[in-house]
Amino acid sequence: MAEFIALIPAAGSGSRMGENIPKQYRLLAGKPMIYHALHTLCSITRISTVCVVLAPDDAEWARHDWNEFSGKIQIFNCGGTTRAESVTNGLRALRAGNYAQDQDWILVHDAARPGLSTTLVERLLNQLEDDEVGGLLAVPLADTLKRASDTGRVVRTEPREQLWQAQTPQMFRTKRLLEALEKASASITDDASAIEELGYSPKLVAGDAYNFKVTYPQDMELAELILRERIATRK
C-alpha cells in the first residue's frame, strides 16, 4: 500500500520579509513559522514521514526544540537555490534513504503557509488517494483581475471564471513528481506546473483563505491572529 509522505522545502532566505533570519524561522504565536506546518502535518496519522529540506548552511534549525516531532520528521540539508531544486533534492534524498518508494504519495507544502489545517490535509488525502494523477489545494479567484501596461495603466479586465489560486500541499506520486521536476522548464512556479508540462491535469481540491502564503511583513499580523485563535481553540 502506498504511503503518504510530506515534504517541506525550507531552504529559502525570505528576502522580501526584510529580516536577518530566514522567513520560516520568524516567530508566529511564539513558535517559528515552520513549526505550525509541522504540527499540522505530523498530527495526521496517515502521513508516515515529514521531510524538511534545509539549506546546506542552515544554522537556525538547531537553535529550536523539535523534540515533539521526533520519530516522524527527517531532516535533509540539501536545499537548492530554487524551490524546485529543493523539492527535487529532497525527493532524491528520500529515495536514497529508502523513505519513499515510486508509488508513494508526496505532499509538498510551503513552510510559509502556517495556516494549514488538519481538515484541509484530510480532504486532500481523501479526494486524491485513488486519483490517477494527484492534485493540489486551491481556491477560486474572487477578486476582479486587471491586466496592466508597462506604465501601470489598466489594459483590460481579465475574466476570472474557472481561475483558481494554487495553494499547498500539492500531492503527487514520488516517481512522477521527480520525473516532472527533472524535466521541467525554468518557468515552472510550483509542483503542479511541472506535472502539467508532462501532459497531465492535476485535480483541484478546495482549500480555504486561512491557508495563505506569508510573503510580506504585513502578512505576519493576520497569520498571528489566525494561529493564536486556533491554538486557543485546541486548549
Side-chain angles (χ1 to χ4, degrees):
M1 180 180 290
E3 294 191 355
F4 299 103
I5 299 162
L7 188 156
I8 302 178
S13 63
S15 57
R16 280 178 288 185
M17 295 293 291
E19 293 290 331
N20 294 326
I21 64 171
K23 175 171 59 175
Q24 59 269 24
Y25 296 115
R26 289 281 309 277
L27 293 183
L28 275 176
K31 298 285 188 179
M33 187 184 301
I34 192 174
Y35 167 91
H36 302 286
L38 282 171
H39 184 276
T40 296
L41 292 166
C42 286
S43 69
I44 305 294
T45 305
R46 286 189 283 173
I47 294 179
S48 60
T49 304
V50 179
C51 163
V52 183
V53 181
L54 303 176
D57 60 350
D58 187 295
E60 190 68 26
W61 176 270
R63 296 176 183 167
H64 302 277
D65 183 5
W66 309 102
N67 285 332
E68 67 180 282
F69 306 128
S70 62
K72 194 149 187 176
I73 62 173
Q74 292 292 331
I75 308 302
F76 296 116
N77 288 85
C78 60
T81 56
T82 65
R83 181 186 185 280
E85 187 178 348
S86 293
V87 175
T88 301
N89 292 347
L91 289 171
R92 290 171 178 163
L94 281 168
R95 294 182 75 179
N98 204 34
Y99 296 108
Q101 306 304 312
D102 286 349
Q103 293 304 307
D104 287 340
W105 287 107
I106 305 294
L107 289 80
V108 184
H109 184 64
D110 298 328
R113 292 185 188 271
L116 178 68
S117 66
T118 56
T119 299
L120 288 185
V121 179
E122 293 286 5
R123 181 185 302 162
L124 191 72
L125 298 181
N126 291 338
Q127 292 196 28
L128 297 182
E129 61 181 335
D130 296 321
D131 195 83
E132 292 185 0
V133 177
L136 64 153
L137 290 177
V139 291
L141 286 180
D143 295 325
T144 299
L145 299 178
K146 302 293 184 182
R147 184 170 296 278
S149 68
D150 293 338
T151 59
R153 297 281 182 175
V154 173
V155 174
R156 62 178 177 272
T157 298
E158 298 285 0
R160 67 187 181 212
E161 289 76 16
Q162 296 184 316
L163 289 181
W164 292 60
Q165 182 175 341
Q167 297 184 336
T168 65
Q170 302 192 358
M171 177 174 152
F172 302 101
R173 303 278 188 182
T174 305
K175 183 178 180 180
R176 182 173 290 170
L177 179 56
L178 183 55
E179 177 189 4
L181 290 170
E182 289 177 338
K183 293 180 177 180
S185 66
S187 63
I188 67 162
T189 55
D190 63 358
D191 311 292
S193 56
I195 295 290
E196 291 161 40
E197 286 190 347
L198 284 185
Y200 298 101
S201 298
K203 183 176 182 179
L204 295 165
V205 177
D208 65 34
Y210 294 105
N211 189 30
F212 69 93
K213 188 175 183 180
V214 175
T215 305
Y216 301 105
Q218 58 266 33
D219 296 333
M220 293 289 289
E221 292 184 26
L222 179 56
E224 180 82 17
L225 289 171
I226 292 170
L227 292 167
R228 288 199 175 278
E229 180 179 353
R230 187 172 293 174
I231 291 169
T233 303
R234 288 187 206 137
K235 295 176 181 178

